[in-house]
Amino acid sequence: MNEKKYDVIVIGSGPGGEGAAMKAAKAGKLVGVVERYAQVGGGCTHWGTIPSKALRHAINRMMEFNRNPLYRSLGQVARFSYPELLKTAETVIAQQAAMRRDFYTRNQIPVHRGFACFLDAHTIEVRAAGSQPPQRLRADYFVLATGSRPYRPDDVDFNHPRVFDSDTILSMPYTPDSITIYGAGVIGCEYASMFRNMGCKVDLVDTRQQLLSFLDDEIAHALGYHLRDQGVVIRHNETYERVEPQSDSVVLQLKSGKRIRSDVVLWANGRTGNVQQMGLEALGIKPNRRGQLDVNVNYQTALPHIYAVGDVVGYPSLASASYDQGRFAASHIVQGHCDSHLVEFIPTGIYTSPEISSVGRTESELTEACIPYEVGYSWFKNLARGQITGKTVGMLKLLFHRETLEILGIHCFGDQAAEIVHIGQAIMSQQGAANSLLYFVNTTFNYPTMAEAYRVAALNGLNRVH
């Protein structure tokens, strides 16, 4: 069997793999990529971020049309099935995959199709589907960017046509009237919001006592309020006992004795790294119980020439951060040190309706650290742009040091939150006096815009300390 030799082999073509491959190739390294699926882009492009956010956009447009007084006065109502709404994502997925395929072509990076398994510390075998013979590839360095998949407990029958996880829900061939979502993390909350906006009856089962407890308490409570106001039934502190699929429904039996019957169940409780059957254990690289790999600050595993980035290393498990991790790992390969590291405060983007985004510390964290802080608010219902667009639900919340006026945390709930937060993130990243509430007080913003919320919140906060 002929062997192909590379400087760097990247396993996985999602955001982390792409970042590593492009950085290494542009630095003059001979790079090869292994991708087990037909198209590049990984779970982000094909089963996660891109299709789910495209689906959300389509649902929100339908909802806005139906709520617009202009169209209601004409007696027009938009009704689309779940499969029809899913189709809107196909074009975006195709565009994303084609764009990423061109990246590899332009940078002369061959993509080997198949599943990669280590034969020794510097050799992998790529096993393609069908009758194609395996390929043997060697490299000085490897970057594992294999991503993650939904966690599937053994006692739940995911082969049943009414039981789904966050991957398979994106190919559900019908529109359910009711859905039970088990797991109220980011994915569970996002799908609860989407299906409720489609008019489905939604039960959201939370294994914890509060939704998204990593958020600022006020924002988490606001999310719970608005989901309930939209009609979502939220059940906290519940654990499943069994899932009982039937021909026309599914029953979720909870340990508390509750039985929830719905058309379908979406299991959204945890993810696990894609490292199985890769031969890593034989090299001394042992995944933890969640299938994740331990790495140092340079993204090196137990074997220094084998790196790992993205979901397979755990936190923060974000597409944006994974791309950066891939670039940083490649820079360490190329020059012996990382160009940079992930920023201390990575913004969160949660695509419920309304949207949530935050960066920096929460009130609870500041209180626990005994940091004297104050709060500035801007309510979207008072902004001219919010009134014009009708997107009046939400707020921007600034946390800042009472004495130095340093921005300590930014929390946004409402339309365009994931965009709005970046303005504050840029100021928070400045050193010394440049990171100050006064920037927002003294800067002239376009009017009317949602960004104006920063000036309003800053003035509101400044009034509390003077």
Side-chain angles (χ1 to χ4, degrees):
M1 181 185 297
N2 292 330
E3 289 185 349
K4 176 74 174 177
K5 176 69 167 61
Y6 291 98
D7 296 324
V8 183
I9 289 177
V10 178
I11 303 175
S13 65
E18 181 182 304
M22 299 304 152
K23 176 71 174 179
K26 290 179 185 299
K29 296 294 185 182
L30 182 62
V31 180
V33 169
V34 179
E35 173 54 60
R36 68 182 301 186
Y37 295 103
Q39 298 288 331
V40 297
C44 172
T45 298
H46 298 283
W47 307 283
T49 302
I50 296 302
S52 65
K53 276 46 179 182
L55 171 65
R56 172 186 182 263
H57 180 77
I59 292 171
N60 284 351
R61 296 293 81 77
M62 179 180 72
M63 182 179 66
E64 289 170 9
F65 180 92
N66 290 334
R67 290 179 178 175
N68 191 307
L70 179 63
Y71 297 117
R72 283 209 309 267
S73 67
L74 298 174
Q76 300 292 320
V77 177
R79 287 284 183 268
F80 298 98
S81 68
Y82 184 71
E84 287 173 330
L85 291 165
L86 280 173
K87 279 189 174 297
T88 64
E90 292 178 0
T91 300
V92 182
I93 293 171
Q95 290 174 338
Q96 286 284 308
M99 177 182 71
R100 286 179 157 69
R101 186 176 61 247
D102 288 347
F103 291 163
Y104 294 103
T105 301
R106 291 203 308 267
N107 288 279
Q108 299 180 337
I109 302 172
V111 178
H112 301 272
R113 310 289 176 179
F115 181 82
C117 178
F118 280 87
L119 301 180
D120 61 46
H122 287 277
T123 309
I124 61 171
E125 187 173 76
V126 180
R127 301 161 185 168
S131 59
Q132 297 182 40
Q135 295 177 284
R136 188 166 291 184
L137 308 176
R138 288 183 59 81
D140 297 324
Y141 298 94
F142 293 86
V143 179
L144 308 181
T146 51
S148 65
R149 64 187 186 280
Y151 170 69
R152 289 184 165 193
D154 295 334
D155 59 347
V156 177
D157 181 10
F158 287 93
N159 292 320
H160 194 280
R162 292 185 178 273
V163 180
F164 298 89
D165 62 26
S166 58
D167 284 355
T168 58
I169 197 70
L170 288 162
S171 57
M172 184 170 60
Y174 52 86
T175 306
D177 290 326
S178 59
I179 183 171
T180 299
I181 300 174
Y182 185 78
V186 172
I187 293 173
C189 288
E190 288 180 348
Y191 273 104
S193 184
M194 283 190 274
F195 278 105
R196 185 59 201 140
N197 284 337
M198 286 181 59
C200 297
K201 176 184 175 183
V202 178
D203 279 86
L204 179 61
V205 180
D206 187 6
T207 59
R208 299 179 177 88
Q209 64 181 4
Q210 177 179 302
L211 294 179
L212 306 180
S213 56
F214 60 88
L215 291 175
D216 185 83
D217 287 343
E218 190 169 12
I219 300 298
H221 294 155
L223 173 63
Y225 169 82
H226 283 282
L227 285 176
R228 287 190 176 97
D229 186 58
Q230 292 162 4
V232 175
V233 176
I234 304 174
R235 304 175 188 271
H236 292 294
N237 294 316
E238 298 282 6
T239 306
Y240 88 103
E241 186 170 276
R242 62 183 177 275
V243 177
E244 302 173 0
Q246 300 170 0
S247 60
D248 61 346
S249 63
V250 184
V251 174
L252 178 65
Q253 176 71 51
L254 301 174
K255 289 184 178 179
S256 65
K258 299 182 183 71
R259 288 172 61 85
I260 306 174
R261 183 184 298 275
S262 56
D263 289 346
V264 298
V265 162
L266 167 59
W267 193 272
N269 195 42
R271 296 184 68 83
T272 187
N274 292 325
V275 293
Q276 71 283 2
Q277 299 178 334
M278 290 185 65
L280 294 174
E281 291 85 351
L283 302 179
I285 301 174
K286 293 180 170 56
N288 64 22
R289 62 182 182 83
R290 301 184 62 139
Q292 297 166 347
L293 303 177
D294 291 329
V295 294
N296 63 17
V297 294
N298 300 315
Y299 304 101
Q300 293 168 295
T301 65
L303 290 185
H305 73 285
I306 299 180
Y307 296 69
V309 299
D311 281 14
V312 78
V313 302
Y315 177 84
S317 295
L318 297 170
S320 53
S322 296
Y323 189 88
D324 289 337
Q325 289 172 327
R327 289 193 303 109
F328 300 154
S331 70
H332 192 266
I333 291 171
V334 170
Q335 56 203 32
H337 61 87
C338 288
D339 283 336
S340 185
H341 293 87
L342 289 178
V343 295
E344 180 181 3
F345 297 116
I346 299 170
T348 60
I350 301 169
Y351 297 91
T352 48
S353 295
E355 197 165 288
I356 297 171
S357 192
S358 64
V359 64
R361 289 188 266 190
T362 65
E363 285 202 64
S364 295
E365 290 169 343
L366 293 172
T367 299
E368 186 176 348
C370 297
I371 295 174
Y373 74 92
E374 194 49 87
V375 186
Y377 289 99
S378 174
W379 301 95
F380 288 3
K381 65 183 179 181
N382 297 325
L383 298 178
R385 185 62 176 266
Q387 295 167 355
I388 290 168
T389 62
K391 304 292 180 60
T392 55
V393 172
M395 66 173 178
L396 175 68
K397 175 179 179 179
L398 302 182
L399 305 180
F400 61 95
H401 197 287
R402 282 187 61 90
E403 298 164 4
T404 67
L405 302 184
E406 175 189 2
I407 304 296
L408 303 171
I410 300 162
H411 306 280
C412 191
F413 181 79
D415 185 51
Q416 300 182 57
E419 301 284 356
I420 293 169
V421 77
H422 290 131
I423 300 170
Q425 181 192 26
I427 300 305
M428 275 187 64
S429 68
Q430 304 305 306
Q431 300 299 314
N435 175 4
S436 171
L437 189 75
L438 294 178
Y439 173 85
F440 300 120
V441 172
N442 298 323
T443 293
T444 302
F445 290 87
N446 277 333
Y447 178 84
T449 60
M450 297 305 293
E452 185 200 4
Y454 279 98
R455 180 182 62 82
V456 175
L459 288 169
N460 176 267
L462 203 58
N463 287 337
R464 298 176 192 275
V465 296
H466 290 310

